Amino acid sequence: MKVKLLSALNDTNIDAAQASSQRQLGISISAIAGELEQTLPLNLCLILDKSGSMHGSPINTVIQAAERLLDQLKVGDRLSVVAFAGSAEVIIPNQIVQDPQSIKSQIKNKLSASGGTVIAEGLALGITELMKGTKGTVSQAFLLTDGHGESGLRIWKWDITPDDNKRCLELAHRATKFNLTINTFGFGNSWNQDLLEKIADAGGGTLGYIEHPEQAVEQFSRLFRRIQSVGLTNAYLLLSLAPKVRLAELKPIAQVSPDTIELPVQSETDGRFVVRLGDLMQDAKRIVLANIYLGQLPAGEQEIGHLQIRYDDPAVEKQALLSPIVPVYANVVQVYQPTTNPDVQQSILALAKYRQTQLAEAKLQQGDRAGAATMLQTAAKTALQIGDTNAATVLQTSATRLQAGEELSEADRKKTRIVSKTVLQE
């Protein structure tokens, strides 16, 4: 399995007369399989809310979704299941799936709804189970909840803050240190969207929304198809910039596909910037935007930086492999004419949609309903520019309701958050 790494500036031409120029560097990263390479075995943990609010149809449809995943697992795949309410328990220990029917029976018998919602304890147990099967696998968790975390409980062995939500974020960050990915699903309309988004972002995963119980099977299957295509894991982007070229100070790097996430950047002693990407898929590119500034450069083709990917290949059990270095060039011209790249422009608009929606949510929290409506309308127009009509409909509907003096329902708020980050799945 190899890395495919491509890059392009939103405008390759740079005006030689300008003291400073701003550009967006689009970077596309994916895995490429050889002819004889097989898909990697999965190490999947389902961390499921069984609190009292999940009683009835919700818990039954979650069981159906878990059963459907079992039917899709292949020889050599591993599964574990953790359930949490007022406390957490392992109901299916980490194991290679050999008897799916027996596992289905255990899930049905043990997954009954009652009690509170202690998310962090369930997440901690899930991480523990995943760590038993990481060798040579793609290790991911599906965390599903319909509520908010509680506080005041001690979890696992780590000495961290007693607040349940903060513990969840700490656990998600720690999970990536062990090459684990945490995906989150909000079920219904009462879950904490800020918390689940932060867990997914910190854990290198994705946030899903199950508005109605009957959507659980498809939402689980949609994400499952994505992780089945993972070819390489624990990938990091290594970015080196030439003299007179620098990263923007505020929000310098973001991922825009398959989900939009602001990515944290670390600096190494050799001056390189390091950004964790997580798993690399074969049929879904990770597309990243770097916001850079270029000082005045001499005319001609100039190398302004270079890129490399550091990654693990579970198929051959090798870590910290390095892709070939890819140089980045700019064309510094005396007579400037723009040469815009349409793909990078699309990525810029996708990031704009996300950030405009964030601004709208901030204004709404501050009580500025008119300002929130205006920003949502702007985000809707941006969505239309990139052909995301579903997002445009959701965003414009929310804007219209605010303009009419209505309150946004919890479903409206959650759909707005989801469509800001990705293309809405019907």
Side-chain angles (χ1 to χ4, degrees):
M1 197 74 67
K2 296 182 179 180
V3 171
K4 183 177 182 181
L5 175 60
L6 302 172
S7 69
L9 292 170
N10 63 315
D11 181 356
T12 304
N13 285 351
I14 306 293
D15 190 344
Q18 288 292 326
S20 179
S21 302
Q22 182 182 17
R23 291 293 184 271
Q24 299 290 330
L25 175 63
I27 306 164
S28 170
I29 314 104
S30 59
I32 305 177
E35 290 184 6
L36 301 178
E37 286 184 298
Q38 303 294 316
T39 57
L40 291 170
L42 301 182
N43 176 31
L44 179 64
C45 182
L46 305 181
I47 307 171
L48 305 176
D49 188 341
K50 64 166 188 174
S51 59
S53 56
M54 292 288 292
H55 180 73
S57 178
I59 201 72
N60 291 334
T61 53
V62 169
I63 290 172
Q64 291 173 19
E67 291 176 337
R68 181 69 62 87
L69 288 189
L70 266 165
D71 292 336
Q72 298 177 75
L73 292 176
K74 299 177 181 178
V75 175
D77 288 343
R78 306 183 71 94
L79 179 73
S80 53
V81 181
V82 170
F84 65 92
S87 60
E89 63 174 328
V90 178
I91 62 176
I92 304 293
N94 188 292
Q95 60 190 267
I96 294 177
V97 177
Q98 295 176 322
D99 188 351
Q101 292 305 319
S102 174
I103 294 175
K104 289 180 182 180
S105 296
Q106 293 179 67
I107 292 174
K108 278 185 177 179
N109 292 335
K110 296 179 180 179
L111 200 61
S112 57
S114 65
T117 309
V118 182
I119 300 171
E121 189 169 342
L123 184 54
L125 281 182
I127 290 171
T128 301
E129 290 303 307
L130 278 177
M131 288 177 64
K132 297 175 183 178
T134 56
K135 188 175 181 180
T137 65
V138 175
S139 299
Q140 300 218 7
F142 287 9
L143 169 64
L144 179 145
T145 182
D146 71 342
H148 293 240
E150 298 176 357
S151 58
L153 291 178
R154 180 177 178 274
I155 60 167
W156 211 9
K157 60 183 180 180
W158 292 325
D159 181 21
I160 53 180
T161 169
D163 180 80
D164 189 64
N165 292 352
K166 291 181 180 179
R167 287 201 306 266
C168 286
L169 298 182
E170 176 70 15
L171 286 162
H173 281 293
R174 286 178 181 264
T176 62
K177 305 296 183 183
F178 302 117
N179 199 12
L180 311 176
T181 299
I182 311 297
N183 305 285
T184 58
F185 290 92
F187 194 102
N189 292 319
S190 298
W191 49 280
N192 186 335
Q193 61 196 45
D194 293 326
L195 174 63
L196 292 196
E197 180 179 11
K198 288 176 181 177
I199 292 173
D201 288 356
T206 189
L207 168 66
Y209 176 30
I210 302 171
E211 183 180 5
H212 305 292
E214 60 271 17
Q215 297 171 336
V217 171
E218 173 52 31
Q219 288 296 317
F220 268 37
S221 296
R222 178 182 63 86
L223 185 55
F224 184 78
R225 289 191 294 269
R226 182 185 295 182
I227 67 174
Q228 278 186 313
S229 73
V230 170
L232 301 169
T233 64
N234 202 33
Y236 287 80
L237 169 66
L238 310 178
L239 169 63
S240 299
L241 296 175
K244 295 188 178 181
V245 184
R246 63 179 177 85
L247 275 179
E249 295 179 0
L250 181 64
K251 297 182 178 179
I253 296 182
Q255 176 182 289
V256 296
S257 181
D259 305 294
T260 305
I261 304 169
E262 302 285 359
L263 295 174
V265 181
Q266 294 183 330
S267 300
E268 291 193 339
T269 54
D270 61 3
R272 289 188 302 182
F273 298 101
V274 181
V275 181
R276 188 177 191 277
L277 303 172
D279 298 331
L280 298 182
M281 295 153 284
Q282 298 178 59
D283 59 357
K285 303 171 186 175
R286 287 200 181 273
I287 298 177
V288 171
L289 276 181
N291 187 9
I292 60 175
Y293 287 87
L294 302 90
Q296 196 163 19
L297 298 171
E301 185 179 67
Q302 302 293 334
E303 183 174 331
I304 61 172
H306 55 77
L307 308 167
Q308 195 172 29
I309 302 297
R310 185 172 68 224
Y311 62 95
D312 296 346
D313 189 343
V316 294
E317 298 183 18
K318 290 186 178 180
Q319 293 78 43
L321 299 172
L322 291 171
S323 71
I325 292 174
V326 174
V328 180
Y329 295 100
N331 186 30
V332 183
V333 294
Q334 298 287 1
V335 180
Y336 171 72
Q337 287 186 329
T339 56
T340 56
N341 183 295
D343 292 334
V344 182
Q345 288 298 121
Q346 284 285 101
S347 295
I348 292 171
L349 290 172
L351 182 57
K353 178 188 72 169
Y354 173 67
R355 290 176 173 169
Q356 289 160 356
T357 307
Q358 282 189 317
L359 284 173
E361 290 187 1
K363 288 181 179 295
L364 194 58
Q365 290 174 356
Q366 295 163 4
D368 182 3
R369 297 165 63 90
T374 298
M375 288 309 305
L376 286 172
Q377 283 183 316
T378 301
K381 292 176 183 177
T382 303
L384 282 177
Q385 286 182 271
I386 57 177
D388 190 354
T389 55
N390 285 332
T393 299
V394 170
L395 295 165
Q396 182 58 56
T397 298
S398 292
T400 301
R401 286 177 179 167
L402 288 175
Q403 289 172 329
E406 299 177 20
E407 295 287 339
L408 294 186
S409 69
E410 284 299 318
D412 291 333
R413 291 172 182 266
K414 287 169 172 55
K415 274 191 178 180
T416 297
R417 178 70 60 89
I418 294 294
V419 300
S420 76
K421 293 176 67 68
T422 189
V423 175
L424 181 65
Q425 300 291 325
E426 292 292 355

